[in-house]
Amino acid sequence: MISRQARKARTERFTTEYYKSGFVWPATGRISGVYGSQRILNGQPRAAHWGVDVAVPMGTPVVAPADGVVTLAHPDMYFSGATLFIDHGLGVVSAFLHLSKIDVKVGDVVHQGDVVAHSGASGRATGPHLDWRVNVGPTRIDAALLVPPMEQVLAGAKK
């Protein structure tokens, strides 16, 4: 169930096309959950997973994947724990779930690469990671489609 605060944050629309800055991974590491995968809770099928999970240690910095405006910075939502939304313009919204710390507040303008939060295991999470989700208006999309493959990014970091 989506909280009223999250629903309101997703319906705000900024006309500035912040998304034109392009996108980068908000954290890098092993992909531990993919968009659209079937979740099982207590042996029962549940709703599909609408994000991409990056397994990173607790407290790993999370950066803004693109320029935007913070529309939600909630310290403890029931399922998603500490949750942050950044509107990248025209209804393109990144959501970051299960955070341990949020470093920005609603109304802040952020730029690609700015540290906005830290990874965690808050809410309903089985361990520390970053759950990154993207909506375009009411439509969920796979955030991994906006960035280079993680393997490529990690290989470049090792050079």
Side-chain angles (χ1 to χ4, degrees):
M1 181 169 163
I2 299 173
S3 82
R4 271 178 258 141
Q5 290 171 306
R7 192 174 300 112
K8 180 180 181 293
R10 278 199 179 110
T11 58
E12 291 184 28
R13 293 288 184 270
F14 292 89
T15 57
T16 302
E17 297 169 331
Y18 293 106
Y19 60 85
K20 287 188 173 181
S21 64
F23 286 80
V24 298
W25 282 99
T28 56
R30 179 178 61 84
I31 301 296
S32 58
V34 295
Y35 177 87
S37 59
Q38 177 67 61
R39 294 183 295 178
I40 306 294
L41 183 63
N42 297 324
Q44 298 295 315
R46 299 292 182 206
H49 184 256
W50 299 120
V52 59
D53 290 340
V54 182
V56 291
M58 181 73 74
T60 297
V62 174
V63 302
D67 296 350
V69 177
V70 175
T71 57
L72 179 75
H74 195 290
D76 190 21
M77 299 184 97
Y78 182 73
F79 288 108
S80 58
T83 302
L84 174 67
F85 285 7
I86 298 174
D87 189 311
H88 304 293
L90 301 179
V92 179
V93 177
S94 283
F96 310 94
L97 285 56
H98 310 300
L99 303 168
S100 63
K101 180 182 175 197
I102 298 173
D103 296 329
V104 291
K105 62 185 182 321
V106 171
D108 285 354
V109 174
V110 297
H111 301 283
Q112 184 183 78
D114 288 351
V115 174
V116 294
H118 292 80
S119 66
S122 60
R124 280 212 166 164
T126 57
H129 70 288
L130 173 65
D131 181 343
W132 177 33
R133 301 172 180 218
V134 175
N135 276 46
V136 178
T139 305
R140 297 174 176 118
I141 65 168
D142 184 355
L145 296 174
L146 302 174
V147 291
M150 184 65 79
E151 299 80 19
Q152 179 182 329
V153 173
L154 293 173
K158 292 179 183 177
K159 291 182 180 180

